[in-house]
Amino acid sequence: IGLRALPRRDRCPPSKMSEPYIPKAANGAAPFTLDHFKAWAYELELDNGEPWIVEPFFGAFLGDYFAGIPECWLVVPEGNTKTTSLAGLAIYLLEYRRRAGIPWAASSRDQAEIGYRQAEGFVLGSKRLKSFMKCQEGYRRIKNLDTAGRIQVFAADDNTGDGIIPTDAFLDELHRHRSLKLYRTWSGKLGKRGGQLATISTAGEPGGEFEETRARIRKSTPVVERSSCFTRCRSDRVVLHDWAVPEEGDVEDLALVKAANPFSGITIESLRAKRESPTMTLSHWRRFACNLPTRADEAAITEAEWYAAKTDEHIPEGLPKACGLDVAWKWDTTALVPFWWRDDEYRLLGPATILEPPRNGSMLDPERVKKALRDEHAKGPIHTLVMDTSRAEDIASWAESELGCTVVDRGQSNSFAIDDYDRFMEALRQGWLKHTGDQGLTEHCLNAIARTLEYGDTRFDRPKQARQVTNEAARRRVIDALTAAAMVHSVAVADNATVEAPEPWVMVA
């Protein structure tokens, strides 16, 4: 496709930017270079009527995209013109890519509509583009009449993405997609036409598939460049441009938050107004302004509370201990959590053993539960096993006869659950309760929400009530290890509340 001649403007119109970019003539640069894209973009009109001046942070992202890296990620806080910039890139590729096939997927129809509107606005605002591009609003599709290329925007669904052979595939706000199935489907098709996949997003929830993938990219890529609030991770296959406040950074430091928001239209003053709004919450601010993985406001245990309780110490091998056991057979997990009480101000949770059922209607094999108990007992005798025996009477009888431990029956009614919540949270916030940083226990504890009951009491609960969900959604709703840990902790507190604590709860290594 020949390079189209673009008219040159004599001067840059008034702009709020301190150093506006004045482009060269488009004929002076080759397509698929940053200089060419800047000149091309300058001829487009934004919503405010001004020409599009490409932001440096997006230009840096384009540098890697035009270098041909197959998978390109841009993770940046909200309000940094991600969708508008990606829409402009889509129109550019539609013009210059030979028979472009550009699917664009968002998590919902409404989000997909935003992307389409931004791309449509660029076309309708340009007489030149309108002469050979046709916007089909009903189909959320834009066609290049000269090359038969097209942009097709739709809501994400891996079941409808199989037949696509993309030259360029775009995924908008990937953190809101129910899973990364569509991402994997499209990335697997890039080789057919030497295609590329661009992903834009803000931070997701801890433990979600998006955040786990984001973390893997940061850990596995051979080239990692860090500067203030920006991290660039690159390999031959994938590149990540990640703008975020550092994990140890102060999210109330507006200068630091501004450093994580590269768009020139965002200022410390605008951030201050946003933070001080009566409708703003800390969790939204952390996640969408600071780009840090954050859970919803109703989360029972904050990341700060949980990670402050982490210790490098482990339960001493060979010493007796207690265990909490939460048993489930079909949909929820079964969790076994060891617990060691050294004294009133030092209580330690060990690594959890978590058993997942088949989730196909079949039951978890009871022998797996017994094996988990035997393995834990071999590390140090289990003197007390706290569990709801109504769910597993045979397991309780087996533990008493085979392991010689005392089984304490603790139901999961609201009265017990309220007691578990109060005692667990008091010990955590007072610094008495510690944990080893075990991933399974951490995930279950951070999944939990605090549910307020009718008379103002609080208990731990699951973030969703539906059980028969996808495996990914199921992972994000399980709290069984926390339930087991809270049960055994409550029994230990009650038993050690006497003037002279009974053996064998009090143990010194």
Side-chain angles (χ1 to χ4, degrees):
I1 306 302
L3 180 63
R4 298 176 180 275
L6 305 182
R8 184 176 185 179
R9 297 186 179 181
D10 295 331
R11 62 185 179 86
C12 179
S15 171
K16 295 180 181 180
M17 295 185 63
S18 59
E19 297 181 0
Y21 172 78
I22 301 177
K24 302 176 183 178
N27 287 338
F32 307 110
T33 62
L34 184 55
D35 284 342
H36 183 271
F37 185 88
K38 286 181 176 180
W40 176 90
Y42 186 69
E43 301 302 325
L44 301 185
E45 190 175 274
L46 297 173
D47 296 342
N48 59 10
E50 293 189 2
W52 181 19
I53 299 171
V54 177
E55 293 281 327
F57 81 93
F58 191 67
F61 175 77
L62 289 174
D64 282 326
Y65 194 87
F66 290 152
I69 298 175
E71 300 174 49
C72 301
W73 287 50
L74 176 61
V75 183
V76 67
E78 67 179 0
N80 282 271
T81 68
K82 295 187 301 294
T83 300
T84 298
S85 298
L86 198 66
L89 176 59
I91 295 298
Y92 179 84
L93 295 169
L94 181 61
E95 177 170 2
Y96 291 107
R97 191 79 84 189
R98 181 178 181 273
R99 295 183 63 185
I102 308 174
W104 176 314
S107 60
S108 66
R109 182 182 179 89
D110 290 342
Q111 184 65 36
E113 186 74 16
I114 295 172
Y116 172 79
R117 289 296 182 194
Q118 295 303 102
E120 180 189 59
F122 281 133
V123 174
L124 298 182
S126 168
K127 291 182 180 180
R128 188 183 63 81
L129 293 179
K130 279 196 301 183
S131 68
F132 63 95
M133 290 189 184
K134 182 178 181 180
C135 299
Q136 298 176 298
E137 180 179 357
Y139 296 102
R140 295 198 301 278
R141 181 168 64 207
I142 301 175
K143 298 176 67 175
N144 185 324
L145 302 178
D146 291 346
T147 68
R150 66 178 59 190
I151 301 169
Q152 179 67 61
V153 182
F154 55 90
D157 184 355
D158 62 296
N159 293 322
T160 61
D162 288 341
I164 292 172
I165 304 177
T167 59
D168 304 88
F170 293 164
L171 290 169
D172 193 357
E173 297 294 5
L174 189 59
H175 73 282
R176 293 199 182 278
H177 291 219
R178 285 203 270 181
S179 73
L180 266 63
K181 288 183 178 179
L182 183 61
Y183 182 97
R184 291 190 290 269
T185 297
W186 283 1
S187 65
K189 295 178 178 292
L190 298 179
K192 293 185 177 181
R193 295 187 63 184
Q196 293 177 265
L197 193 157
T199 296
I200 58 172
S201 188
T202 51
E205 292 189 2
E209 191 175 9
F210 170 80
E211 282 301 332
E212 288 185 351
T213 305
R214 180 185 178 191
R216 279 200 305 273
I217 293 173
R218 297 182 69 149
K219 292 177 181 178
S220 63
T221 48
V223 178
V224 178
E225 302 167 1
R226 291 186 176 90
S227 176
S228 183
C229 294
F230 174 67
T231 302
R232 175 178 176 265
C233 307
R234 184 185 185 280
S235 69
D236 292 338
R237 177 69 189 182
V238 63
V239 65
L240 166 66
H241 287 231
D242 200 335
W243 293 85
V245 171
E247 291 182 1
E248 68 279 4
D250 181 4
V251 297
E252 302 294 355
D253 182 347
L254 295 182
L256 185 64
V257 177
K258 167 53 193 165
N261 287 263
F263 174 46
S264 61
I266 295 177
T267 64
I268 291 178
E269 289 71 26
S270 66
L271 288 169
R272 179 177 291 109
K274 183 176 183 178
R275 182 69 185 99
E276 293 177 355
S277 169
T279 61
M280 177 57 64
T281 63
L282 179 59
S283 65
H284 188 99
W285 176 258
R286 282 179 50 87
R287 181 171 173 183
F288 294 101
C290 303
N291 215 21
L292 294 170
T294 308
R295 293 166 304 126
D297 288 324
E298 66 270 20
I301 305 171
T302 67
E303 286 89 349
E305 288 172 330
W306 184 250
Y307 290 115
K310 183 179 180 300
T311 179
D312 293 331
E313 186 172 354
H314 291 268
I315 297 176
E317 291 279 342
L319 286 185
K321 59 181 178 288
C323 281
L325 177 66
D326 185 49
V327 181
W329 299 111
K330 286 192 174 182
W331 298 107
D332 295 331
T333 60
T334 290
L336 176 68
V337 180
F339 174 83
W340 183 51
W341 181 292
R342 190 176 71 189
D343 54 53
D344 285 348
E345 296 186 0
Y346 193 90
R347 312 158 191 182
L348 179 60
L349 297 168
T353 300
I354 298 171
L355 306 176
E356 292 191 2
R359 293 198 177 109
N360 59 4
S362 301
M363 291 183 61
L364 177 71
D365 185 354
E367 289 302 317
R368 293 183 61 193
V369 182
K370 294 178 181 178
K371 182 180 184 304
L373 284 164
R374 280 194 297 267
D375 291 346
E376 193 61 53
H377 190 68
K379 298 175 186 177
I382 301 174
H383 64 76
T384 303
L385 181 64
V386 182
M387 61 182 291
D388 182 355
T389 60
S390 66
R391 297 185 177 189
E393 292 181 0
D394 56 335
I395 298 293
S397 298
W398 175 88
E400 285 183 321
S401 61
E402 293 294 323
L403 304 181
C405 58
T406 299
V407 175
V408 177
D409 182 17
R410 188 171 182 82
Q412 296 185 18
S413 63
N414 279 341
S415 58
F416 283 121
I418 292 167
D419 189 45
D420 292 347
Y421 175 89
D422 290 341
R423 287 175 168 174
F424 192 94
M425 294 306 297
E426 179 193 24
L428 188 67
R429 288 166 179 166
Q430 292 292 336
W432 304 331
L433 185 61
K434 304 292 183 181
H435 63 89
T436 62
D438 171 60
Q439 182 177 352
L441 178 60
T442 295
E443 188 173 299
H444 284 215
C445 287
L446 294 184
N447 280 345
I449 65 170
R451 181 158 68 91
T452 303
L453 303 177
E454 183 178 1
Y455 296 105
D457 295 313
T458 307
R459 62 168 292 167
F460 294 121
D461 208 346
R462 307 177 188 279
K464 295 180 181 178
Q465 294 301 315
R467 295 187 176 186
Q468 299 184 29
V469 293
T470 64
N471 285 338
E472 171 60 23
R475 277 189 55 205
R476 298 175 65 180
R477 68 174 294 279
V478 288
I479 64 168
D480 306 297
L482 171 61
T483 301
M487 287 194 303
V488 68
H489 177 262
S490 289
V491 171
V493 171
D495 284 356
N496 284 279
T498 58
V499 176
E500 194 171 313
E503 294 290 348
W505 285 104
V506 177
M507 298 163 285
V508 179

